[in-house]
């Protein structure tokens, strides 16, 4: 199916997304089916509670007490089943939110000596096809939509309306495949940091205007619209009283991420975050499992004054 650079109606845009989601689902089902035909040496999955990860964000920025994040370890059979599920789980479940993306660090280990080369080649090709389709959909999610009569296209409202339970991040996450015969060990651990981006009063006021407009248009989808709009209005008023040249920062906390170091014989380690299980083609390895996330104590940075914690907006105080 040819994907145009721009769309002129929400209907054609939604149909294109639906077609490509179905294509991706079919490819992942092929991948999972092929995994069932291979000899699996081992599989590990560490399930993490998303709610606890979200709590760490707010606690880190406000210096509030942090909780230890517990992980659930699964045996080989359940881990293998959960890993395959994570590849195909693109939608929210009842009672969850759009931020509740699947988080299950781990791996599926495919033995080299116990599988024929052709089957391993098919596995590699299927992973490549899945990831190529994920890239197509990632670009499609950002496509230009020009409506008739110069109507404003509200992308957030569009996805709420047409794909209310879709987890776009989970759809576009690449499935990592490591094909290394010389791997000696795997070490699961936690990484955590906060990003700080510069912004200014004008840009933030324009952003609040856009947020307020979207909230007013999506009143049917939330019982807290009025409170959110009033809160944004208060922040807007506060910003309007600041000097135009004041330096603002968007201090965006990144949730504690399960990560992994893969060590190879006489070579540099491979390091990456591991929000979903990866596929490993290798034989004998040693594994250090993911432990509980133990909170660290963070000092309050006195040069940042909070303006709106819900927007992660701070004023840089250079005095």
């Amino acid at each position: 199916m040819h994907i145009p650079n721009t769309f002129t109606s929400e209907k054609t845009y939604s149909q294109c997304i639906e077609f490509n989601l179905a294509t991706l689902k079919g490819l992942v089902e092929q991948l999972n089916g092929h995994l069932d035909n291979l000899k699996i040496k081992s599989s590990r999955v560490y399930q993490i509670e998303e709610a606890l990860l979200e709590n760490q964000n707010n606690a880190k920025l406000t210096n509030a007490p942090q909780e230890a994040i517990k992980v659930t370890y699964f045996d080989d059979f359940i881990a293998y089943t959960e890993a395959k599920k994570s590849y195909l789980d693109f939608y929210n479940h009842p009672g969850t939110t759009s931020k509740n993306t699947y988080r299950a660090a781990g791996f599926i280990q495919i033995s080299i000596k116990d599988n024929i080369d052709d089957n391993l080649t098919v596995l590699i090709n299927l992973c490549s096809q899945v990831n190529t389709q994920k890239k197509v959909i990632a670009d499609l999610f950002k496509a230009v939509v020009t409506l008739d009569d110069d109507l404003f296209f509200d992308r957030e409202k569009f996805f709420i309306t047409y794909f209310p339970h879709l987890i776009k991040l989970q759809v576009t996450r690449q499935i990592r495949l490591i094909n290394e015969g010389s791997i000696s060990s795997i070490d699961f651990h936690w990484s955590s940091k906060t990003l700080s981006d510069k912004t200014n009063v004008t840009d933030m006021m324009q952003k609040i205007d856009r947020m307020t407009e979207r909230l007013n248009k999506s009143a049917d989808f939330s019982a807290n619209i009025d409170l959110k709009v009033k809160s944004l209005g208060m922040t807007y008023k506060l910003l309007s009283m600041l000097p135009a040249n004041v330096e603002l920062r968007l201090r965006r906390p990144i949730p504690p991420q399960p990560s992994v170091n893969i060590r190879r014989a006489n070579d540099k380690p491979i390091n990456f975050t591991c929000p979903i299980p990866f596929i490993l083609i290798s034989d004998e390895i040693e594994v250090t499992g993911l432990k509980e996330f133990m909170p660290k104590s963070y000092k309050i940075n006195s040069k940042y004054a909070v303006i709106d914690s819900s927007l992660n907006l701070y004023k840089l105080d250079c005095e």
Side-chain angles (χ1 to χ4, degrees):
M1 180 179 180
H2 171 68
I3 299 178
N5 294 325
T6 61
F7 294 85
T8 56
S9 75
E10 291 186 347
K11 182 178 180 181
T12 55
Y13 186 40
S14 66
Q15 288 174 340
C16 189
I17 292 175
E18 287 175 353
F19 177 86
N20 280 278
L21 285 174
T23 301
L24 175 61
K25 181 180 178 182
L27 288 171
V28 176
E29 287 174 343
Q30 288 183 50
L31 172 62
N32 284 348
H34 186 67
L35 285 169
D36 289 340
N37 294 326
L38 296 170
K39 292 186 178 179
I40 308 299
K41 187 172 183 65
S42 69
S43 186
R44 293 200 183 188
V45 166
Y46 304 91
Q47 190 79 56
I48 302 116
E49 289 186 52
E50 181 69 13
L52 288 176
L53 289 176
E54 292 298 324
N55 290 343
Q56 297 298 319
N57 283 346
N58 297 327
K60 184 174 180 179
L61 284 181
T62 61
N63 208 38
Q66 292 179 289
E67 302 176 62
I69 298 178
K70 298 183 181 296
V71 299
T72 302
Y73 167 74
F74 296 109
D75 62 32
D76 274 8
F77 176 76
I78 297 178
Y80 174 67
T81 303
E82 288 294 318
K84 290 198 303 175
K85 177 184 174 184
S86 73
Y87 300 151
L88 200 59
D89 201 1
F90 300 144
Y91 293 87
N92 289 328
H93 301 291
T96 63
T97 69
S98 60
K99 293 183 178 180
N100 192 12
T101 53
Y102 200 101
R103 292 187 183 271
F107 65 89
I108 297 175
Q109 182 185 4
I110 313 295
S111 172
I112 298 175
K113 62 184 180 182
D114 293 336
N115 290 281
I116 62 175
D117 291 342
D118 287 349
N119 281 343
L120 296 179
T121 299
V122 171
L123 174 64
I124 294 169
N125 289 337
L126 280 171
C127 281
S128 177
Q129 292 177 50
V130 167
N131 288 334
T132 297
Q133 181 63 15
K134 282 174 171 281
K135 178 63 170 61
V136 168
I137 295 177
D139 292 338
L140 182 58
F141 284 160
K142 297 180 287 187
V144 176
V145 181
T146 305
L147 303 179
D148 295 336
D149 301 323
D150 295 325
L151 294 174
F152 172 72
F153 173 67
D154 190 326
R155 194 176 302 273
E156 182 176 346
K157 182 179 178 181
F158 168 83
F159 280 100
I160 290 174
T161 303
Y162 289 90
F163 304 95
H165 303 294
L166 186 69
I167 306 173
K168 292 190 287 183
L169 177 61
Q170 182 67 2
V171 170
T172 57
R173 273 184 176 134
Q174 299 277 296
I175 297 177
R176 189 182 292 267
L177 183 142
I178 308 295
N179 184 16
E180 295 274 357
S182 61
I183 289 175
S184 59
S185 66
I186 296 176
D187 171 33
F188 285 96
H189 60 280
W190 291 91
S191 63
S192 179
K193 60 182 179 180
T194 298
L195 299 181
S196 183
D197 296 330
K198 291 182 180 180
T199 187
N200 56 60
V201 171
T202 301
D203 287 348
M204 283 307 304
M205 291 175 73
Q206 291 175 351
K207 180 178 180 179
I208 290 175
D209 279 336
R210 293 193 298 269
M211 292 175 67
T212 302
E213 183 181 1
R214 286 198 298 268
L215 286 170
N216 286 329
K217 289 181 178 180
S218 59
D220 292 341
F221 300 101
S222 172
N224 300 316
I225 292 296
D226 289 341
L227 288 176
K228 291 179 180 179
V229 169
K230 288 178 181 178
S231 176
L232 288 173
M234 293 172 63
T235 302
Y236 189 97
K237 184 177 180 180
L238 178 59
L239 288 171
S240 68
M241 294 186 291
L242 294 176
N245 62 347
V246 69
E247 185 173 320
L248 303 179
R249 293 290 179 92
L250 290 169
R251 302 192 67 214
R252 298 181 290 111
I254 297 178
Q257 296 277 342
S259 302
V260 65
N261 288 337
I262 298 179
R263 298 196 175 276
R264 298 172 287 183
N266 302 319
D267 207 347
K268 293 182 179 179
I270 306 171
N271 305 304
F272 54 90
T273 57
C274 190
I276 59 174
F278 62 95
I279 297 174
L280 172 67
I281 301 177
S282 185
D283 284 311
E284 301 302 324
I285 55 170
E286 294 182 2
V287 180
T288 301
L290 186 69
K291 309 297 184 184
E292 287 187 6
F293 175 79
M294 300 308 296
K296 301 176 182 179
S297 58
Y298 292 92
K299 294 181 180 179
I300 297 177
N301 195 328
S302 59
K303 69 179 182 178
Y304 292 110
V306 63
I307 293 179
D308 189 325
S309 59
S310 65
L311 297 178
N312 296 321
L313 180 61
Y314 293 77
K315 179 173 72 73
L316 184 62
D317 187 358
C318 298
E319 298 180 358

